[in-house]
Amino acid sequence: MLLRGGRLVDPAAGIDALLDVRLRAGLVREIGPHLAPEPGEETLDAAGAVVAPGFVDMHVHLRDPGFPDKETLATGSRAAARGGFTAVACMPNTEPALDSVEILAGLLRRARDPEVACRIYPIAAMTRGRRGGETLDYAGLAAAGAVAFSDDGSPVADDAIMRAVALRARSTGRRLIAHAEDEDPMVRRDLTLARETATAWHIAHVSTAVSAAAVAEARRTGVDVTCEVTPHHLVFTSELVRERGGGAKVNPPLRGEDDARALRDSVRRGEVDAFATDHAPHTAREKALPFERAAMGFTGLEVAVGAYAYALPDLPLARFVAMLSANPARILGVPGGTLTVGSPADVTVFADRPWTVRSEAFASKGRSTPFDGMRLPRAVVATIVAGSLRYRAEGPVSA
Ligand code: DOR
């Protein structure tokens, strides 16, 4: 396939220029101005659009195994492709939890089904059953394909066990992902353990000014820590709970405007490494329950590109692309994140073309997002995984 006429933005390679990209046999084959199509080559007109390394969402819930009413690998990966993601890392809060080599192997076998539209990287549990009591064979889990370790929404409460997890997982080189719920104290505890044990850590969905500042300070003083933000924590506040009840319920919760503004400023200052959606699909019935019993979380994959551009319209394009490609790929230690010759042919094409979110048209089974009905400024044009076109938007490329 030949991608013609687009603006190639590859921050890892320091490229921002009008360049064509030729893909062949699953890899980037050639980059240059005005490449001529070869006989039999498919072409994609990217004039007016940005051609970027495939986006990687390092925080999604795919619900496999255990919750096919909420999402399946087929629906979740199709949602990813529609959202511009060529790869996603899925959290282990499944049933059973992703806590053994056998369970990971089963997931990865299902992920090879032709119905599955993107690459899937499992994040394994930190403790048996995510119950916070028993450490696991981290080297074995990493060898079986785990790209990181996390107990997701049930973070390890016992400091001694958390320290043991860190010391045993450290040699895998895979990051521990803190999914702090009672956020500020837990983030502080984990940053202290990251420092003391010299273990690579990642703080998921930072949502408060205090946590964002603590991560930045830890990093300034030598801790190997990275962090991510979701689109909803950048845009919405707890005001929304009054309007929408369970529809606005998410963990960590929506905060005040001061926190949302502080997070946007942290991104602008380069203190946040990655954009991640925390795509958390639930059935309509589970989201419609009274607030106390409603399911937590929003479906995120199909709005992400537009939502981040809405939250941070002034973010330089190279930074926008890096936060969605090079940075998450580096944090997880997975291929991709660049389009230099020889790299995987995973490509996201997007354009500054306003569109209106219609959740009823989502590929995801989850339809609950606070962005529903909103007009967003940036849209996905095409998603290419290993050289195959997995999504192509209808209509012209640019506005
Ligand atoms: O809102 C959330 N939803 N936060 C979590 O921690 C888990 C997630 C889910 O799995 O639904």
Side-chain angles (χ1 to χ4, degrees):
M1 187 187 298
L2 182 62
L3 309 182
R4 303 179 81 184
R7 173 177 169 189
L8 176 62
V9 177
D10 182 350
I15 295 173
D16 182 346
L18 288 173
L19 289 169
D20 295 349
V21 179
R22 173 169 284 129
L23 311 175
R24 176 83 52 84
L27 301 176
V28 177
R29 174 66 170 267
E30 188 180 4
I31 289 173
H34 310 296
L35 298 181
E38 292 181 355
E41 198 169 49
E42 190 181 345
T43 61
L44 192 140
D45 176 15
V50 173
V51 173
F55 291 170
V56 179
D57 190 343
M58 61 174 298
H59 188 162
V60 306
H61 299 270
L62 290 181
R63 311 304 191 201
D64 178 302
F67 303 99
D69 290 352
K70 294 178 191 275
E71 196 76 293
T72 65
L73 297 189
T75 58
S77 66
R78 274 215 301 133
R82 289 171 60 97
F85 295 99
T86 57
V88 297
C90 58
M91 280 289 175
N93 63 334
T94 50
E95 187 53 53
L98 305 181
D99 68 354
S100 75
V101 167
E102 293 69 30
I103 292 166
L104 287 188
L107 175 71
L108 289 171
R109 190 175 346 99
R110 293 188 292 284
R112 283 196 295 272
D113 187 291
E115 285 270 285
V116 172
C118 71
R119 299 180 200 267
I120 292 176
Y121 297 117
I123 296 165
M126 279 178 180
T127 65
R128 178 85 50 216
R130 302 192 306 115
R131 285 188 295 272
E134 193 188 329
T135 61
L136 301 170
D137 168 18
Y138 303 107
L141 290 165
V147 293
F149 302 104
S150 180
D151 270 356
D152 193 64
S154 325
V156 176
D158 186 307
D159 296 354
I161 297 201
M162 193 61 238
R163 181 183 296 272
V165 170
L167 292 173
R168 288 174 195 174
R170 188 172 57 184
S171 61
T172 65
R174 297 302 191 183
R175 270 177 205 273
L176 301 183
I177 301 183
H179 196 284
E181 302 294 308
D182 177 17
E183 182 164 318
D184 295 337
M186 199 62 117
V187 167
R188 214 172 305 118
R189 192 263 326 242
D190 281 15
L191 292 173
T192 301
L193 284 174
R195 184 189 305 281
E196 289 174 4
T197 63
T199 304
W201 228 278
H202 175 81
I203 311 294
H205 44 43
V206 171
S207 69
T208 68
V210 169
S211 287
V215 172
E217 174 60 17
R219 184 160 24 198
R220 260 193 299 277
T221 55
V223 177
D224 183 1
V225 60
T226 55
C227 71
E228 71 189 33
V229 289
T230 72
H232 45 272
H233 290 114
L234 294 175
V235 172
F236 298 103
T237 67
S238 49
E239 282 291 306
L240 197 72
V241 177
R242 239 195 302 260
E243 269 172 50
R244 305 217 186 152
K249 188 172 172 186
V250 65
N251 215 349
L254 298 174
R255 314 277 184 187
E257 178 53 29
D258 287 355
D259 283 314
R261 190 179 319 108
L263 292 180
R264 295 192 297 268
D265 287 340
S266 296
V267 174
R268 291 189 182 101
R269 284 196 301 271
E271 293 170 359
V272 177
D273 302 275
F275 286 146
T277 66
D278 192 8
H279 177 77
H282 294 285
T283 63
R285 194 183 46 76
E286 293 165 312
K287 286 300 287 180
L289 292 169
F291 191 82
E292 288 66 35
R293 287 190 291 129
M296 287 183 297
F298 307 140
T299 182
L301 286 163
E302 286 160 270
V303 300
V305 163
Y308 282 115
Y310 176 91
L312 290 154
D314 54 330
L315 196 68
L317 205 50
R319 287 279 308 291
F320 179 88
V321 169
M323 304 245 334
L324 284 161
S325 60
N327 295 0
R330 190 188 64 240
I331 290 167
L332 297 174
V334 299
T338 181
L339 289 174
T340 47
V341 171
S343 304
D346 291 3
V347 187
T348 301
V349 183
F350 64 90
D352 284 339
R353 180 176 76 185
W355 62 290
T356 302
V357 180
R358 298 260 176 258
S359 67
E360 71 272 11
F362 283 175
S364 173
K365 291 190 179 188
R367 301 289 158 82
S368 181
T369 165
F371 290 98
D372 200 12
M374 285 174 65
R375 195 132 180 97
L376 302 180
R378 188 166 286 169
V380 177
V381 171
T383 307
I384 297 163
V385 181
S388 299
L389 188 64
R390 302 315 295 252
Y391 173 68
R392 173 78 171 92
E394 286 161 25
V397 167
S398 44

